[in-house]
Amino acid sequence: KSNAIASPAKLALKEAELSLDEIKASGDVTVGLKGKPDIYARLAMDKLALDRFTEGAAAGADGAKPAAADTASREWSSDPIDFSALKQVNADLVLKTEGFSLKGADVGPSTLTVKIEDGNMQASSSEASLFDGKFSSSVNLNAQSSTPTMAFKFDMDGVQAKPVLTTFAHFKKLSGAADAKIAVTSSGQSQKAIISNLTGNGSVIFRDGSLEGIDLVNIAKMIQSRLTDMGVGEGKTDFVSLGGTFTITQGVATNNDLGMKGPLVQATGQGQVDLQQKRVDYRVVPVLTASSAVEGASGIRVPVDIKGHFDNIKIKPDYGSLIQDAINNPDAIKGTLKGAKEQLKDVKGSLK
């Protein structure tokens, strides 16, 4: 119900109470009727369940949902994405919501602002609660040309990483409270094109969590064994902090300053993640330490290569680099071995 004002040029609803299926809203709406619809709205909305709006996007070209499969194994789709709806309407919307749910994730109350003009959409959300933390985001999608362009930014503060990654990326191996700032741009008419053209940068740090499937404490001890190659999937590494900065160029993310501190191991790292090919090519240098408070812990440092497709990542210690270092600088290696011996004594004591 509402106070309605109608004319050939527009329809205005004042103090309206609107209901569509389970969606309920109240406020003012004006619809311009000359040419393409032009919608102006200021509404307060109940909590939204967004899963219904994503069902069509998840379906295949024949309308059937894709068979369940491991996300890491699937190729990016080359099927065209239809952005034509953005050209069919202009809009200026401010929606104060009580939150929304998507794939089981509950987002707290926020204000959504959306502007659409001739196929160009700008949208942003104010800070909202998500998995014990806060996040905000903005999206620009321009479908005015034959090749749509897009830009995406988001900030997170203290958001629990595991439920987010499990819900939206089907990745269950990383936990901790995440702080992140990410800004990316891309263009394309399909998933594959968008990923291939992805460009941007960001910073991420996880606190008080664990990395499952890679036991860096065990890797740091590999020099004492005969292991030369092992798969990812067993054990885990607890950490106090894990993070760094990255850049993305044409779908390839590069990081050169990974740092991790944990109760028994520290690590530095650098490398690339090819999002197009879903491959990792990364080098981590772990070292045993008695305490996460130790800066630049001494010990035997054996570079470890982490390589492979997302669904078949292998880790392999590079003993050759250690041997070459010993040849080039034997005195330094002697000092490192001595320091490592003392370090392991400290670790043994802390374990007790």
Side-chain angles (χ1 to χ4, degrees), residues 2-258:
S2 71
N3 298 319
I5 302 173
S7 72
K10 70 177 182 180
L11 171 65
L13 305 177
K14 300 296 184 181
E15 300 178 353
E17 294 183 8
L18 309 173
S19 178
L20 177 62
D21 292 334
E22 297 177 3
I23 301 174
K24 295 182 179 180
S26 60
D28 299 334
V29 180
T30 301
V31 182
L33 302 176
K34 286 188 175 181
K36 71 174 66 173
D38 192 341
I39 304 171
Y40 176 92
R42 298 295 184 266
L43 297 172
M45 307 184 70
D46 290 346
K47 189 171 183 177
L48 301 175
L50 299 182
D51 289 309
R52 71 178 70 184
F53 302 112
T54 63
E55 290 176 357
D62 58 358
K65 292 183 179 180
D70 183 75
T71 301
S73 300
R74 293 201 300 261
E75 297 298 327
W76 298 110
S77 173
S78 297
D79 295 341
I81 300 173
D82 187 2
F83 294 104
S84 62
L86 291 178
K87 299 180 181 180
Q88 306 306 313
V89 63
N90 290 334
D92 182 349
L93 314 175
V94 176
L95 311 176
K96 293 185 177 181
T97 76
E98 291 301 313
F100 62 87
S101 62
L102 178 64
K103 297 182 179 181
D106 286 319
V107 177
S110 66
T111 299
L112 306 179
T113 302
V114 181
K115 290 188 177 182
I116 303 173
E117 185 173 3
D118 298 328
N120 183 33
M121 181 186 76
Q122 294 180 319
S124 64
S125 67
S126 64
E127 188 175 81
S129 61
L130 174 66
F131 292 121
D132 299 332
K134 300 287 186 180
F135 94 103
S136 60
S137 63
S138 65
V139 178
N140 177 221
L141 175 56
N142 191 334
Q144 292 175 330
S145 66
S146 58
T147 302
T149 61
M150 54 213 70
F152 177 61
K153 294 182 180 180
F154 78 84
D155 292 347
M156 292 196 308
D157 182 9
V159 175
Q160 289 299 318
K162 189 166 186 176
V164 172
L165 294 173
T166 299
T167 299
F168 298 108
H170 305 283
F171 185 78
K172 303 178 180 180
K173 296 183 178 296
L174 182 60
S175 65
D179 297 342
K181 291 183 179 294
I182 296 175
V184 295
T185 61
S186 191
S187 61
Q189 296 178 316
S190 67
Q191 280 186 358
K192 186 174 183 179
I194 291 170
I195 294 297
S196 298
N197 294 322
L198 200 63
T199 300
N201 58 71
S203 63
V204 182
I205 185 165
F206 302 90
R207 304 182 191 280
D208 300 321
S210 65
L211 181 61
E212 298 179 18
I214 300 179
D215 187 344
L216 288 177
V217 174
N218 187 46
I219 292 170
K221 295 177 180 178
M222 276 194 210
I223 193 172
Q224 302 173 50
S225 69
R226 297 181 183 274
L227 290 177
T228 59
D229 197 355
M230 66 182 293
V232 174
E234 296 182 357
K236 70 174 183 177
T237 301
D238 294 320
F239 57 78
V240 174
S241 65
L242 168 67
T245 61
F246 63 88
T247 59
I248 303 176
T249 304
Q250 295 184 328
V252 179
T254 301
N255 162 258
N256 293 311
D257 62 354
L258 176 74

Side-chain angles (χ1 to χ4, degrees), residues 320-331 333:
S321 293
L322 178 69
I323 293 170
Q324 189 61 49
D325 287 343
I327 294 172
N328 295 339
N329 196 349
D331 291 337
I333 290 295

Side-chain angles (χ1 to χ4, degrees), residues 290 343-352:
Q343 190 101 14
L344 288 172
K345 287 181 180 179
D346 292 339
V347 171
K348 183 177 180 182
S350 68
L351 286 174
K352 289 182 180 179

